[in-house]
Amino acid sequence: MAIKYELIKTCKQSGARLGRLHTPHGIIETPIFMPVGTQATVKAMTPEELKEMEAQIILSNTYHLYLRPGHELVQKAGGLHSFMNWDRPILTDSGGFQVFSLGDLRKITEEGVTFQSHLDGSRHFLSPERVMAIENALGADIIMAFDECAPYPSEHDYVKRSLERTTRWAERCKNAHQNTEKQALFGIVQGGMYEDLRRQSAAELVALDFPGYAIGGLSVGEPKPMMYEVLDYTVPLLPADKPRYLMGVGSPDALIEGALRGIDMFDCVLPTRTARNGTAMTSKGKVVIKHAKYTEDFSPLDPECDCYTCRNYTKAYLRHLYKANEILSSRLMSYHNLHFLINLMKQVRKAITEDRLLDFRASFFEKYYGETPTDL
Amino acid sequence: MAIKYELIKTCKQSGARLGRLHTPHGIIETPIFMPVGTQATVKAMTPEELKEMEAQIILSNTYHLYLRPGHELVQKAGGLHSFMNWDRPILTDSGGFQVFSLGDLRKITEEGVTFQSHLDGSRHFLSPERVMAIENALGADIIMAFDECAPYPSEHDYVKRSLERTTRWAERCKNAHQNTEKQALFGIVQGGMYEDLRRQSAAELVALDFPGYAIGGLSVGEPKPMMYEVLDYTVPLLPADKPRYLMGVGSPDALIEGALRGIDMFDCVLPTRTARNGTAMTSKGKVVIKHAKYTEDFSPLDPECDCYTCRNYTKAYLRHLYKANEILSSRLMSYHNLHFLINLMKQVRKAITEDRLLDFRASFFEKYYGETPTDL
């Protein structure tokens, strides 16, 4: 087996899990936030900077790499780790989400999906077998099965047919996967916002015995309480000895709420995308750096932060860089935001260790959002 | 005096100078290339990276900083060094060149220049006194007098009137400069491509006894041999005990030709601008990274280079980053190009030390341009 999940302890206050995920490129302490490196680069960052901020694993996008530069090229380069000069674990998604959110003129059949590239309009066909060949070529430590992520809202009937096809595709992925010793294939539980369908999807996928499970189809526009409710009834359906990954989630509140409910892994473009748009996540909430009130603010972005950006630069300078459209703005803001979420998960792990994740959650929400979290 | 130039030796083969320029923020070994940080940041780079590549001094642009974020703000931040977190020497230009190349609707009078901002069309007035107040507020180690850089080609009569005004402005700058202990004011020799006018300008400025001299009005569209000819007769007019700065020059051939003719300091946006456009300077000449021939080229940008980019990434990856419009492309290419020019000047200094700059020039031209340099 390519990976092994080691459950270290469960928080007595919340049920959250502290664990270690052993992979071919090293051990990941969970719960963990995974920075996203869509096109074989975490935008504006170097691998050394990611290590400096203690990123343990990054995610890269199969859809994007398949279209450009192409998985054959990455394979010739010695795989994604070598191509992008990152020697820690990598997870690749399956492209399913992007085919549906970025591809044009998509047509889904039992066999797979035909779509047009968002880059040049060229026509492509992805099937479970094709996606496995691509992910095997990329060579990530963890690879995701090809799924359909039904939009929100969707009718019960549509979601049911979709998840059943996702199960059949997951089985085809499992059969097509050629590198089980070095790459762990995760199944993706779908089922929209319907409890019966989440139960059906989870049961079908667990029966296929994957080395890990993701929960997909959340954070797609539904209200957050609805997402938490789905987690409440879905997470317990997943085996305790396997890692659990909540896809596409990266807001501080959702990371904490997810960890509380037993999620081990998260990813999101939020920290880097909002950074490039000039918004920082800080211990006291969001800072929109372009605001005039920061013009002569010579204090760091976050006085409680010890990241490179906060140790060396003022809000006034960061505001200037942002307004002057300087690349250093994206660099410094991205560094800070990624550091913030990685550090948040470090605090979450510490709180689990000390059986006080609910207390941590209350004090974090108070400081960041100025409000008390909802009762569990 | 804010600075002191120490002549270490003259190359027996070429007459090039090896020197040390003592400034309030440290010693600069000359001849030197100065990376340009137009808006208080060398585009895409951090100060730490600039130090890693052994940048000894950077240049920043008074015109840009005056318009945004404003010199008063920079002064409140503790000056430009503090604002941008760079503790080594800085040189600020006078804004003269930018007023003429970027400002709209400029009107020159004896008093100064009225122009419209390229950012928002707002009207501004810069005079020698105003520019000194701005440069004093920015606090660079070396500051430039406000000059008019006549376009190429210009009539003898126009250039003569322009350089005479530039002399009067230089004198007004000298009188207005408020911080002579910490900031050295350089005069700028103008005179276009006319030997008599260069002689006149140099004589007038040398009579004003500045701590250093720049040669302006070159690299403005004239053929390179014409620039070298101007240097041939202008440099000897400058005092041997003061540093000599050739403004706006950064191509490898011109750096070597300038050093050969006794120039000590150079600056140019070329390495960073071409880097962002995907062109690298390498020991074997230019590499245009988007070219299809690099698609599967898994060798470094420059096999003879030991910079961060060349130690860690392949041409295939750099090509992918460039085509995918990733910020890391600008970072890695800028790092390499700046390192290349800084390292080139290190080799030039070594060649002067060893009295073989002409030999170095011949072998460099052969490798980089595939041709023999013109006879001196």
Side-chain angles (χ1 to χ4, degrees), chain A residues 32-35 42-58 86 88 271-272 305-309 311 330-344 346 349, chain B residues 331:
Chain A
I32 186 74
F33 174 78
M34 306 184 282
V42 175
K43 287 191 193 302
M45 296 289 100
T46 61
E48 288 75 13
E49 286 164 346
L50 293 167
K51 290 181 181 180
E52 203 174 75
M53 61 178 79
E54 299 179 38
Q56 302 183 59
I57 173 172
I58 61 170
W86 173 255
R88 293 191 183 175
T272 41
C305 178
D306 65 350
C307 84
Y308 170 73
T309 302
R311 277 187 282 112
S330 293
R331 288 188 59 176
L332 298 179
M333 297 288 281
S334 296
Y335 193 109
H336 171 81
N337 278 358
L338 288 171
H339 179 275
F340 182 82
L341 288 192
I342 288 168
N343 192 50
L344 171 62
K346 200 190 287 183
R349 292 195 298 272
Chain B
R331 288 187 59 175

Side-chain angles (χ1 to χ4, degrees), chain B residues 100 106 108 148-163 165 190-198 217 220-223 226:
Chain B
F100 297 104
R106 57 196 165 274
I108 313 172
E148 186 197 343
C149 177
Y152 171 81
S154 286
E155 293 297 315
H156 186 279
D157 186 52
Y158 179 83
V159 176
K160 183 172 166 66
R161 280 183 288 122
S162 168
L163 84 83
R165 187 166 50 215
Q190 292 288 353
M193 311 302 157
Y194 302 103
E195 181 168 353
D196 62 323
L197 299 185
R198 288 283 173 183
V220 289
E222 80 283 5
M226 188 180 281

Side-chain angles (χ1 to χ4, degrees), chain A residues 6 17-18 26 43 53-54 67 90 98 104 109 136 140 147 159 164 184 191-192 233 241 288 300 307 314 365 374 376:
Chain A
E6 180 189 353
R17 290 146 52 102
L18 187 75
K43 287 191 193 302
M53 61 178 79
E54 299 179 38
L67 290 178
I90 300 177
Q98 282 75 24
D104 285 329
T109 65
N136 284 162
D147 63 329
V159 176
E164 289 170 352
Y233 55 67
D241 61 344
V288 178
C307 84
T314 64
F365 272 64
T374 318
L376 284 179

Side-chain angles (χ1 to χ4, degrees), chain A residues 38-49 64-65 68-69 73 76-78 82-85 276 295-298 308 312-314 316-317 320-321 323-328 330-332, chain B residues 38-49 64-65 68-69 73 76-78 82-85 276 295-298 308 312-314 316-317 320-321 323-328 330-332:
Chain A
T38 297
Q39 304 190 109
T41 163
V42 175
K43 287 191 193 302
M45 296 289 100
T46 61
E48 288 75 13
E49 286 164 346
H64 290 86
L65 296 178
R68 184 176 59 194
L73 177 70
K76 280 182 192 164
S82 168
F83 184 58
M84 68 182 292
N85 192 36
R276 294 195 304 282
T295 306
E296 297 191 4
D297 186 334
F298 300 116
Y308 170 73
N312 293 292
Y313 304 95
T314 64
Y317 183 62
H320 163 65
L321 292 179
K323 290 182 69 80
N325 201 24
E326 284 286 353
I327 288 175
L328 191 56
S330 293
R331 288 188 59 176
L332 298 179
Chain B
T38 297
Q39 305 190 107
T41 163
V42 175
K43 287 192 192 301
M45 296 289 99
T46 61
E48 288 75 13
E49 287 164 344
H64 290 87
L65 296 177
R68 183 175 61 194
L73 177 70
K76 280 183 192 164
S82 167
F83 184 58
M84 68 182 291
N85 193 37
R276 294 195 304 282
T295 306
E296 297 190 2
D297 186 333
F298 300 116
Y308 170 72
N312 293 292
Y313 304 95
T314 64
Y317 183 63
H320 163 65
L321 292 179
K323 289 182 69 81
N325 202 23
E326 284 286 353
I327 288 175
L328 190 55
S330 293
R331 288 187 59 175
L332 298 180

Side-chain angles (χ1 to χ4, degrees), chain B residues 59-249:
Chain B
L59 179 146
S60 199
N61 292 113
T62 290
Y63 168 88
H64 290 87
L65 296 177
Y66 158 71
L67 290 178
R68 183 175 61 194
H71 56 289
E72 298 94 342
L73 177 70
V74 175
Q75 189 169 35
K76 280 183 192 164
L80 191 51
H81 291 89
S82 167
F83 184 58
M84 68 182 291
N85 193 37
W86 172 256
D87 58 9
R88 292 191 183 175
I90 301 177
L91 181 151
T92 47
D93 66 3
S94 67
F97 184 78
Q98 282 75 26
V99 164
F100 297 104
S101 63
L102 294 176
D104 286 329
L105 295 177
R106 57 196 165 274
K107 188 170 160 250
I108 313 172
T109 66
E110 183 62 23
E111 184 53 23
V113 185
T114 306
F115 64 98
Q116 284 192 342
S117 159
H118 75 293
L119 295 175
D120 61 6
S122 55
R123 289 182 68 78
H124 298 267
F125 174 71
L126 285 181
S127 63
E129 292 75 19
R130 185 101 178 101
V131 165
M132 283 301 100
I134 297 168
E135 292 198 82
N136 284 163
L138 295 174
D141 303 77
I142 298 172
I143 65 179
M144 304 304 296
F146 191 52
D147 64 329
E148 186 197 343
C149 177
Y152 171 81
S154 286
E155 293 297 315
H156 186 279
D157 186 52
Y158 179 83
V159 176
K160 183 172 166 66
R161 280 183 288 122
S162 168
L163 84 83
E164 289 171 353
R165 187 166 50 215
T166 288
T167 298
R168 293 190 295 275
W169 285 2
E171 189 167 10
R172 283 166 59 190
C173 281
K174 198 179 167 188
N175 293 332
H177 178 24
Q178 294 293 318
N179 191 17
T180 52
E181 288 305 304
K182 294 268 183 67
Q183 299 183 278
L185 174 64
F186 279 27
I188 303 175
V189 176
Q190 292 288 353
M193 311 302 157
Y194 302 103
E195 181 168 353
D196 62 323
L197 299 185
R198 288 283 173 183
R199 288 189 179 279
Q200 179 184 346
S201 178
E204 291 176 2
L205 291 169
V206 169
L208 290 171
D209 192 25
F210 288 100
Y213 293 90
I215 301 178
L218 292 178
S219 198
V220 289
E222 80 283 5
K224 274 181 177 167
M226 188 180 281
M227 171 168 83
Y228 302 148
E229 195 191 324
V230 174
L231 293 180
D232 282 335
Y233 56 67
T234 305
V235 175
L237 307 172
L238 303 175
D241 60 345
K242 305 282 176 68
R244 304 155 177 173
Y245 161 30
L246 176 55
M247 305 183 80
V249 164

